Amino acid sequence: MAAPLALTDAEDPSFAELLALRPHLSLHAMDGLVMEGVPLARIAREVGTPAWVYSAGALRRRARALKSALADAGLTASVHFAMKCNDNLAVLKVLAAEGLGADVVSGGELRIARAAGIPGPAIVFSGVGKTEAEIRLALAEDIFQINAESAEEIAMISAIASAMGRTARVALRVNPDVDARTHAKITTGKSENKFGVHFDEAPAIYARMAALPGIAPVGIATHIGSQITAGMAAYRAAYARLAEMVQALRAAGLPVERVDCGGGLGIPYRDEPAPSPEALAGAIKATLGPLGLPVMLEPGRWIAGPAGVLLASVVLQKRGASHRFVVVDAAMNDLVRPAMYEAWHGIVPLSAARAAAPLSPAEVVGPVCETGDTFARGRLLPDLSPGDVVAFLDAGAYGAVMSSTYNARPLAPEVLVDGTRHAVVRARQTHEELLHGQRVPEWLAT
């Protein structure tokens, strides 16, 4: 397995190199770091920090690039945005207008997708632990497809659908036992992972599913991991195995209408090579194209990751015995990826003057009482003063959705930028809202 990205590296890309790969961001002499047509310093002044900011233009551009790659490869494909990476209503509205559906993994996400105007027939429900209530909701909303991950779940779906007088469109998620060479915590296609059914058992389970009442078997699905950057070999291996299975199911007289290819396409958080949507489309065409079936994709990070930043203000610089610590007001409760995955995020000052100043190594940390509340080690940054604002790049995926209120820190607001316009699309949580729902029992109240 490839080693995870480290928090530190002696050859960090420069600020200019980071921004060159992110066309929705630019550094202006007077306005500093700008997203599309809006200075990020203006947003920081208006809403405070920490704050999440998303580029509608980047979301549109990346959604269109993926759809174009699939079309240019001659594939009949539908794209369903993986909401687990970002479930903001405004973000979903932007992507729905680009013709994307949704991939959901909970009843809550399904309800948000519908609230964003995504129709039921454009929604796929994935996940290993769907409850009876969630299955009933999916059937009531007439969603496009339920990806079943076990024989036991298939039995649940059949019983619930039959009782409701409905027919559930179900794809069987197959675990192809392919190593995607990504972080151990986000790989999903190996035999020891909890997802899907074992490849060798899948044909028999599919045949039993086809015989059950209340179920219309529509195909097979897979998902081999997240943040895949090690080329197309893992995708090709997984999809080739799916193609073999489709041929075997057809030979047995079983119906197969489509193949769900999952998601996982990685992005360059730093400057590491990352595969393109054209490469993914080519891998799908080479392996699954001869089947003549429609395919589905469920990207999340590739679309939303680069479109977002997390703004944070410097609280103070602390000179330790051997390190310079830059303490910011964002913390691991806001952006947990560095603490959880040892993930690397670019950090860029909003001030053009700061970005041009001499650099020296710094430890970038948050205020939470955990040593793990560290965003970067040995990162080359200018001298920073209290009140200076920095942007953590590529925070549009697995950022706000993974936030918590640890240390009683209210959730940060979310802002959408669209050209020269911007709006708060989720307000900052108040301390009163943080306490909402808590109750003191009567015997303690006195």
Side-chain angles (χ1 to χ4, degrees):
M1 185 192 74
L5 292 176
L7 289 170
T8 180
D9 195 294
E11 299 180 358
D12 289 337
S14 68
F15 300 142
E17 289 169 334
L18 287 169
L19 297 180
L21 296 175
R22 296 154 180 87
H24 53 292
L25 295 172
S26 56
L27 193 61
H28 296 196
M30 296 298 294
D31 290 328
L33 190 61
V34 174
M35 178 179 283
E36 298 192 33
V38 180
L40 288 172
R42 181 190 305 168
I43 294 176
R45 287 193 300 270
E46 291 178 3
V47 306
T49 56
W52 307 94
V53 189
Y54 309 122
S55 163
L59 291 168
R60 293 188 186 103
R61 183 171 59 253
R62 297 181 74 82
R64 292 171 187 175
L66 180 57
K67 292 179 66 178
S68 293
L70 296 167
D72 291 346
L75 296 167
T76 300
S78 60
V79 179
H80 306 262
F81 178 65
M83 281 179 55
K84 58 182 171 286
C85 84
N86 190 317
D87 62 10
N88 184 276
L89 275 176
V91 167
L92 297 176
K93 280 281 190 182
V94 170
L95 296 177
E98 295 299 317
L100 270 60
D103 169 55
V104 306
V105 294
S106 72
E109 285 189 354
L110 175 51
R111 293 179 188 278
I112 293 173
R114 295 292 292 116
I118 298 175
I123 297 173
V124 179
F125 201 141
S126 304
V128 300
K130 308 176 196 71
T131 66
E132 291 187 12
E134 288 174 328
I135 294 170
R136 285 194 294 270
L137 176 63
L139 293 171
E141 294 291 342
D142 191 29
I143 71 167
F144 185 62
Q145 177 175 301
I146 299 174
N147 287 342
E149 305 220 10
S150 65
E152 294 81 359
E153 183 182 34
I154 290 169
M156 282 178 60
I157 296 170
S158 172
I160 295 167
S162 297
M164 292 177 64
R166 300 286 186 115
T167 298
R169 292 179 286 273
V170 180
L172 178 64
R173 179 168 174 175
V174 177
N175 189 322
D177 195 18
V178 169
D179 186 355
R181 299 186 62 79
T182 186
H183 195 286
K185 293 181 180 179
I186 53 177
T187 187
T188 60
K190 297 171 69 175
S191 59
E192 64 263 32
N193 298 140
K194 67 181 180 180
F195 301 95
V197 301
H198 191 277
F199 186 87
D200 294 338
E201 298 173 354
I205 294 175
Y206 196 94
R208 292 200 298 272
M209 179 174 73
L212 288 174
I215 289 184
V218 295
I220 56 176
T222 195
H223 189 294
I224 59 173
S226 183
Q227 183 53 11
I228 298 171
T229 57
M232 288 293 109
Y235 279 120
R236 285 178 175 269
Y239 297 158
R241 299 204 81 189
L242 293 192
E244 294 174 6
M245 182 167 294
V246 169
Q247 292 167 342
L249 295 175
R250 283 174 162 175
L254 295 167
V256 181
E257 298 179 12
R258 50 186 177 259
V259 177
D260 187 338
C261 298
L265 193 62
I267 60 173
Y269 281 96
R270 191 175 172 278
D271 56 0
E272 66 275 18
S276 67
E278 289 79 12
L280 178 59
I284 295 172
K285 182 177 178 64
T287 52
L288 298 173
L291 299 175
L293 291 174
V295 297
M296 303 160 54
L297 277 83
E298 293 151 9
R301 185 194 314 266
W302 193 87
I303 291 175
V309 301
L310 173 63
L311 302 182
S313 294
V314 174
V315 177
L316 54 84
Q317 277 197 143
K318 175 182 174 180
R319 298 286 178 176
S322 58
H323 295 91
R324 170 172 68 115
F325 293 92
V326 176
V327 184
V328 297
D329 62 358
M332 63 185 289
N333 75 290
D334 300 301
L335 181 62
V336 74
R337 295 190 69 255
M340 182 177 289
Y341 304 126
E342 302 85 36
W344 195 98
H345 283 265
I347 304 173
V348 179
L350 266 55
S351 164
R354 293 294 195 212
L359 308 177
S360 63
E363 316 290 294
V364 183
V365 301
V368 159
C369 291
E370 299 273 355
T371 302
D373 187 24
T374 299
F375 292 112
R377 298 192 181 98
R379 187 68 59 88
L380 293 177
L381 290 171
D383 191 49
L384 294 167
S385 301
D388 283 342
V389 183
V390 298
F392 292 85
L393 305 184
D394 305 314
Y398 303 103
V401 289
M402 296 181 76
S403 296
S404 74
T405 57
Y406 185 45
N407 281 193
R409 291 170 51 84
L411 299 176
E414 296 173 68
V415 179
L416 183 72
V417 170
D418 197 350
T420 59
R421 301 172 293 181
H422 70 282
V424 175
V425 293
R426 180 175 292 171
R428 186 182 302 279
Q429 189 179 35
T430 67
H431 287 282
E432 291 74 21
E433 289 167 339
L434 197 61
L435 287 170
H436 181 73
Q438 293 199 43
R439 299 289 184 271
V440 176
E442 180 182 350
W443 65 86
L444 294 178
T446 57

